[in-house]
Amino acid sequence: MAHFTRKALRGSGFGVAAAALLMGCSAPSQKAETPATQASAIAEPANDGSAKRLRVLTEAQYLNTLAHVFGPDVKTEPHFPPAQRYDGLLALGSARGGVGGAQLELYQKAAVVVAGLITNPERRGYLMPCKPADEKAADRACANQFLAYTGRLLSRGALTPTEIAGFTETASTSAASLKDFYAGLGIALEAMLVSPKILFVAERAEPDPKAPGQMRLDAVSLATRLSLFLWNAAPDDAVLKAAESGEILTPKGRARVVNMMLASPRIETGMRAFFDDMFAFDDFSTLAKDPKIYPAFTGVTAQDAREETLRTVIDHLITKNGDYRDLFTTRETFISPALAAMYKLPAPPNWTPYTFPEGAPRSGILTQISFLAVHSHPGRSSPTLRGKALREILLCQPVPSPPPNVDFSAVENPNSPIKTARERINIHQKNPACAGCHKIMDPMGLALENFDSVGRYRDTEKGEKIDASGTLDGKPFQDVVGLGKVLHDHPSLTSCLVKRAYSYSTGQPTKPSDKEKLEFINARFAASGYKLPDLLRTITLSNAFSRIIETPAPAKTASADVAGATAK
Amino acid sequence: MHRAFFAAFLASTVLAGGAQADDGLKDRTIGYVLINKAYATWQTPDGKKECPQGFNHGPREQFKELFEGVTDKFAETQLAYEAEIAFPGTAPETRTFFREAQGPMAFGLNLDGKVGPNDFVSPEGEKGIDHQMYRVVGCTENYRGPDGSARHFIESYMQKFNYNRWLLELADVDSLANDDDVTVTISRGLDPLATDAAGQFASGGTQRVDTRRGREFIYTMKGRIVDGVLTTTPTDITFPESQQRGFPYQSVHAWRARLKLTPEGASGLMAGYMDVERWYHNLPQQWSTHHRSYGAEPMPSQYRAAVRLADGYPDASGKNTAISTAWEVRFAQALIMHPDEPKTVAGKGVKTDVAR
């Protein structure tokens, strides 16, 4: 374990402080140390947590919640507008910007569809807890029962009696007017589904009785933050019960809830959403390749490439509880027929586990088609795009934008006598204005040059043998397999995941004052052997996750009115 | 099939380096899947050379020729014509007239190694071409390219329905350019054809061999490759050919293929002596009289012609039972998976109309 720890701390951007913490805390132990015991011995430094946020529920969170409450067949295609990526995550964008009229219309359209599906004769029998006395008339008691029950699950907490009464009144008035109980109920449900209480996640804070002068998330807000992070959906009945009883506010109760959530199959959905966001896989929605150059790359290939990497991540990190760093060296993956054609492998229908043999150039998720294809041009590979993406996505190292007057003619000339990407890119190295950034992007990207724009393996480019060797921050490698190994041991690889996971969990970017919190989480992550479930447990059980920094009230604006109304 | 099996299989099939060799061979094998198949029909643009008497009349025209002016006699007209289709005779036609393709030119292969008086010459000048089926179908619009209806639909259904999936696998191959001893296995696949971004059939797809219900379609034979052209040894085979009606197949004696091979695909001719009764059994079963009218196809007349022109495999009475036939075919390279060891049928006799 010492090896683990030293390596992890050496690799951490906050290594020295974390090492001191570790040595100080783990030495007295009499028991045989395991990663878990060693990790738990690292104490969280005093910290003020994060700010409370007002976020818009994402489309995936909306759909996941509907599926959990009403079943997977109650689904719609709402096409909510995507959030803007901020500080590496879309999740942070959902806490920025407002909601326009066009967006509200999308919410309303989705609500109409969902209400129709739920009150449909095929479903009402098992989705409704009661039957109206007369289907052609209002039934206030039955409507109240249904709306109170579903309202609690959809709104991530019990509705107030006033709110329930309002929705019940809508259902009753509409049913009486339409002479149809279910039509009336549908209108009330539609109103509920577009209510700010469902569409906006407004966190609330309360004084922490165990830390006078400090604030913490209230029980329901804590349950919601946990659920959106771990499941990418609203909390279910069990989590809400733990919140409503106050159990979730006790260390033991919160640990029980977190362990229950980590043990649920929904953790896979939640972590798929996190890694899809962290890896910027929303770029797949606009991915296109020139069909004349790459006829084998179809829409199905792109879809399956994204799925391949997410399957690999979930299988390695959740199912097998593997070391996060090994994702960049593992030869295990999953293939579909569409991907098999790209890998030149046979594959039966559906998904099949597959292990690339030793000696094959495919090693780690960087060599999967997803990264290779997304970070390339439509008609050719791009060491620069790939290198930039890997720096920013995996190492959390932002690369400055290029100057506006870059001359691309030398690299984009299709009739250029220059044969390989390495030769083309060397042109940048000769220009001091370009060299600064290209030095940090290109070596990683050039290591992936054995893969073309759609991720197919190649030895040569225009007849010239490809040289995939290079260095990453001083560590040399010969090829992409070597890059994976260097990346595996790169200090920023794990600290970047920690930074992203913590940001994602709280819905806000990290800031310099978060240094000690991140050091603590990094140290725990390292001590656990870089296991994702342990990282999730560390974050969700920390004060950094639940403690709230009181911020001054924002100036009153139209959007603040919405937030205020929601948070009340 | 169990996932673990496939995972183990996949692990055992990949080349070190993760990529297939540039010549397309993997462990000295290469697989192909059929993507185009049609009777090899030599034709001039206006058809006047090979069909100097014009194209054949179809069911509607023949019906008029047979029953012009006859009304209110359903059994004697429509039913009679349908009965003729179902149970065609061989007596010479008196009131209808069938137009056989004429002339010495045809695509095909020299199946018997001889140059006979009824043989054709190929457009490339090869003599002794055996392709009497060309005389049967050559002047029927349904089979003429590029857009004869039957030609189109037979091919379209071959492509769409996995029942018709045809695989060709070459093993023990040293080189796709020259190898005088390769092993050729044909079988039925289970998977759809792979397509590219433009919707064209693509190489590189996976095909699983159907060793369950397709076992009867698995045959192994020898072949040789000379200057990139594969020629297989004659073998009696059956192959599935359905237009989504029933489960029909064709039986072909001494079937062989002559295909230009590349790592991405194979194209050329396949030929043999097709069993006449089996062929005609499929014909009306696959398409109704109504559909045959699309391309003026007179089925009873075709049967008479096929019986008359049959040129191989005489029965005990000396009557030929099979007719020389050639198809133009195109294959795309495919990765073939064998879920278990196939029980091959080498040189098996021709199939009969036994329920399958």
Side-chain angles (χ1 to χ4, degrees), chain A residues 494-511:
Chain A
T494 50
S495 63
C496 183
L497 175 69
V498 165
K499 173 181 159 72
R500 293 282 187 253
Y502 180 66
S503 291
Y504 184 90
S505 74
T506 60
Q508 50 208 283
T510 54
K511 49 193 184 304

Side-chain angles (χ1 to χ4, degrees), chain A residues 291 294-298 311 334-335 337 340-349 351-362 457, chain B residues 3 6-7 9-22 26 191 195-198 202-208 335-337:
Chain A
Y294 305 110
F297 192 91
T298 65
R311 277 182 185 249
F334 295 84
I335 58 170
M342 305 295 290
Y343 290 132
K344 297 191 175 180
L345 293 168
W351 288 91
T352 308
Y354 178 70
T355 303
F356 285 105
E358 286 298 323
R362 307 273 182 182
Y457 184 79
Chain B
R3 282 159 59 96
F6 276 121
F9 171 80
L10 293 180
S12 70
T13 55
V14 71
L15 281 180
Q20 208 165 337
D22 289 338
K26 190 165 66 177
D191 297 293
T195 52
D196 65 18
S203 60
T206 296
Q207 287 290 332
R208 293 166 299 155
L335 296 161
I336 296 178
M337 296 181 71

Side-chain angles (χ1 to χ4, degrees), chain A residues 58 76 136 164 177 181 233 252 269 291 296 377 397 409 447 512 533 557:
Chain A
T58 66
T76 174
K136 293 182 179 175
I164 297 172
S177 171
F181 169 80
K252 193 176 171 185
T269 308
H377 295 296
Q397 297 170 347
S409 58
T557 61

